[in-house]
């Protein structure tokens, strides 16, 4: 075992603070990674504050599942990676590899999936610790290759915010000429806008923040609707092929179901802690569908990274020092980030 520097929350109400954690020595199948950047997902905040009923947080909690770094050591059975390679690790670090979900390349639904943090650590016991740290050891099956042409800080958010928006757009067959709505312009939402635009869709961004209008257009939205404007909302009634809802807090999804065309689909990727209320009629009329989506499998995550390499897509980031994480959490709660905080792990050494 070796020690890594990290930031952890001691309880749901305590700020994140510096700590030291244990990492395993690489086994035959493992890759040891020096973490260079880690994105700050709203899930990190939900989890560190124990906001999700049914998915309790084990403390101390080291969040972080948008990791990019450099390989510093490899196990004897590792052939795909070598010392010095730039790699990424997202929300999962292991799965059983034998169940139907794993066979389908959908490791995120494996009943024995190990999440990057707040999962049972099958090597060391206790709980897994995430990327708010300067080093991690990961089974090679869950290590991703980073396209060489992309700025590293902007790559980190791709392995959660990126795949979480890319996967449902692909699964539901979004193509050129379709009308696609994205609800919320945060970390996930801004990637949803970029991907839907890159796929050739006509993209409408719904926001509660009128100040984000110009940015949304620059990021690829063809139209921007401030959701409090009832007239603007009603002008889009019955017109969307697909809507991606990325909102992190309670909100009225019926207002968006109403905007779908016949057989249109609204996919929820946001994970508010409180239940959403769904009315029957906005589903019944138009035979609308309401669905959900959880990150994406490993093969699809690599496909998404390669797509980003070809299309020069990365996240728009505000690079912060690890010491600024608690302020970053507060700003996330105010929807005040352009459009993903990414921690520069060099700051952990100072
Ligand atoms: P984020 O950066 O904080 O963005 C959330 C956005 O939602 C905000 O920027 C804001 O956009 C909008 N919003 C916030 N509060 C709102 C409210 N009360 N009413 C309406 N809109 C509101 O968060 P994120 O990192 O993108 O994550 C979004 C959600 O997805 C979180 O719940 C997270 O846990 C979840 N998530 C799910 C998956 C998955 O696999 N399904 C993966 C990652 C994250 P505007 O200012 O434009 O309104
Ligand atoms: Zn995330």
């Amino acid at each position: 075992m070796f020690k890594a520097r990290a930031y952890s929350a001691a309880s749901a109400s305590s700020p994140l603070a510096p700590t030291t954690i244990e990492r395993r020595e690489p086994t035959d199948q493992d890759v040891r990674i020096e973490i260079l950047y880690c994105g700050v997902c709203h899930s990190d905040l939900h989890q560190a504050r124990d906001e999700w009923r049914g998915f309790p947080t084990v403390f101390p909690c080291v969040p972080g599942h948008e990791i990019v770094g450099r390989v510093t050591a490899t196990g004897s059975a590792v052939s795909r990676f070598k010392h010095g390679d730039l790699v990424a690790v997202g929300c999962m670090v292991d799965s059983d590899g034998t169940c139907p979900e794993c066979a389908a390349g959908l490791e995120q639904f494996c009943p024995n999936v190990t999440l990057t943090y707040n999962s049972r650590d099958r090597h060391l016991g206790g709980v897994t610790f995430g990327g708010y740290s300067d080093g991690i050891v990961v089974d090679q099956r869950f290590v991703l290759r980073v396209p060489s042409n992309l700025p590293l800080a902007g790559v980190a958010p791709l392995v959660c915010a990126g795949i979480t928006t890319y996967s449902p757009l692909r699964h539901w067959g979004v193509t050129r000429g379709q009308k696609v709505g994205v609800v919320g312009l945060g970390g996930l939402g801004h990637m949803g806008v970029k991907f839907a635009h890159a796929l050739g869709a006509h993209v409408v961004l719904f926001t509660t923040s009128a100040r984000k209008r110009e940015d949304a257009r620059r990021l690829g939205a063809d139209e921007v609707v401030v959701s409090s404007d009832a007239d603007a909302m009603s002008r889009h009634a019955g017109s969307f092929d697909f809507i991606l809802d990325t909102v992190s807090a309670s909100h009225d999804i019926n207002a968006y179901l109403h905007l779908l065309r016949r057989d249109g689909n609204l996919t929820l990727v946001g994970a508010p802690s409180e239940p959403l209320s769904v009315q029957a009629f906005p589903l019944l009329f138009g035979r609308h569908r309401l669905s959900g989506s959880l990150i994406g499998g490993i093969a699809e995550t690599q496909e998404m990274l390669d797509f980003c390499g070809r299309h020069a897509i990365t996240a728009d980031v505000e690079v912060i020092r690890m010491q600024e994480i608690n302020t970053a959490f507060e700003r996330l709660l105010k929807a005040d980030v352009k459009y993903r905080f990414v921690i520069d792990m060099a700051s952990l050494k100072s």
Side-chain angles (χ1 to χ4, degrees):
M1 290 203 291
F2 65 95
K3 291 195 186 310
R5 296 188 185 92
Y7 261 56
S8 72
S11 76
S13 57
S14 35
L16 271 71
T19 187
T20 304
I21 56 172
E22 304 265 328
R23 299 290 197 187
R24 68 178 182 270
E25 289 300 334
T27 69
D28 290 358
Q29 299 292 338
D30 282 337
V31 177
R32 177 170 168 173
I33 300 163
E34 178 198 358
I35 300 177
L36 300 175
Y37 294 100
C38 184
V40 179
C41 181
H42 206 115
S43 301
D44 299 347
L45 189 162
H46 289 306
Q47 194 82 73
R49 297 188 176 177
D50 203 8
E51 290 177 351
W52 283 327
R53 266 169 269 167
F55 196 18
T57 306
V58 178
F59 292 101
C61 173
V62 177
H65 57 209
E66 293 186 341
I67 296 168
V68 291
R70 199 188 317 275
V71 174
T72 55
T74 53
S76 57
V78 175
S79 54
R80 290 167 51 232
F81 301 101
K82 60 177 191 315
H83 190 274
D85 284 355
L86 292 173
V87 293
V89 176
C91 302
M92 307 177 276
V93 289
D94 206 354
S95 70
D96 62 28
T98 57
C99 72
E101 307 298 351
C102 288
L106 298 169
E107 297 87 354
Q108 72 272 34
F109 304 129
C110 170
N112 299 305
V113 69
T114 304
L115 299 177
T116 305
Y117 64 87
N118 202 52
S119 258
R120 192 181 71 83
D121 186 328
R122 73 177 179 88
H123 296 269
L124 298 182
V127 70
T128 53
F129 293 132
Y132 293 7
S133 165
D134 59 3
I136 193 166
V137 176
V138 179
D139 186 295
Q140 60 169 334
R141 291 189 299 128
F142 289 83
V143 179
L144 299 146
R145 289 181 306 279
V146 171
S148 58
N149 60 321
L150 300 177
L152 270 193
V155 168
L158 298 178
V159 291
C160 176
I163 184 60
T164 300
T165 50
Y166 178 89
S167 182
L169 288 167
R170 297 305 303 261
H171 179 76
W172 291 97
V174 166
T175 52
R176 188 163 298 284
Q178 286 192 335
K179 186 170 173 184
V180 169
V182 176
V183 188
L185 196 68
L188 267 57
H190 95 291
M191 291 311 306
V193 167
K194 288 188 185 205
F195 285 133
H197 175 76
L199 292 170
H202 179 88
V203 184
V204 182
L205 183 272
F206 294 94
T207 182
T208 59
S209 311
R211 66 179 188 281
K212 295 182 182 173
R213 202 181 276 276
E214 291 312 310
D215 281 347
R217 285 188 168 277
R218 176 178 56 77
L219 294 164
D222 299 286
E223 299 179 57
V224 180
V225 173
V226 177
S227 51
S228 56
D229 181 343
D231 288 343
M233 290 289 284
S234 66
R235 278 197 289 279
H236 288 278
S239 67
F240 282 89
D241 296 284
F242 181 79
I243 298 177
L244 188 67
D245 185 330
T246 75
V247 174
S248 54
S250 297
H251 62 292
D252 178 19
I253 60 166
N254 303 292
Y256 297 101
L257 289 170
H258 183 65
L259 303 186
L260 294 170
R261 65 159 177 75
R262 171 170 54 79
D263 291 324
N265 172 63
L266 185 152
T267 294
L268 205 62
V269 286
S273 54
E274 296 302 320
L276 296 168
S277 118
V278 182
Q279 288 161 6
F281 283 158
L283 280 176
L284 271 49
F285 279 92
R287 201 162 52 189
H288 297 152
R289 279 176 292 198
L290 172 60
S291 58
S293 194
L294 183 75
I295 48 174
I298 290 297
E300 191 178 40
T301 306
Q302 188 64 61
E303 173 193 309
M304 178 273 312
L305 285 169
D306 297 342
F307 179 92
C308 288
R310 286 197 304 281
H311 293 264
I313 292 174
T314 50
D316 283 33
V317 301
E318 290 190 48
V319 176
I320 61 168
R321 293 160 49 77
M322 187 74 254
Q323 294 79 356
E324 295 171 307
I325 185 62
N326 295 303
T327 313
F329 272 11
E330 291 311 312
R331 283 184 55 196
L332 266 191
L333 284 175
K334 295 184 215 145
D336 173 25
V337 53
K338 290 184 170 182
Y339 277 86
R340 193 57 134 191
F341 292 117
V342 171
I343 305 159
D344 180 353
M345 282 307 156
S347 63
L348 257 187
K349 295 187 172 64
S350 59

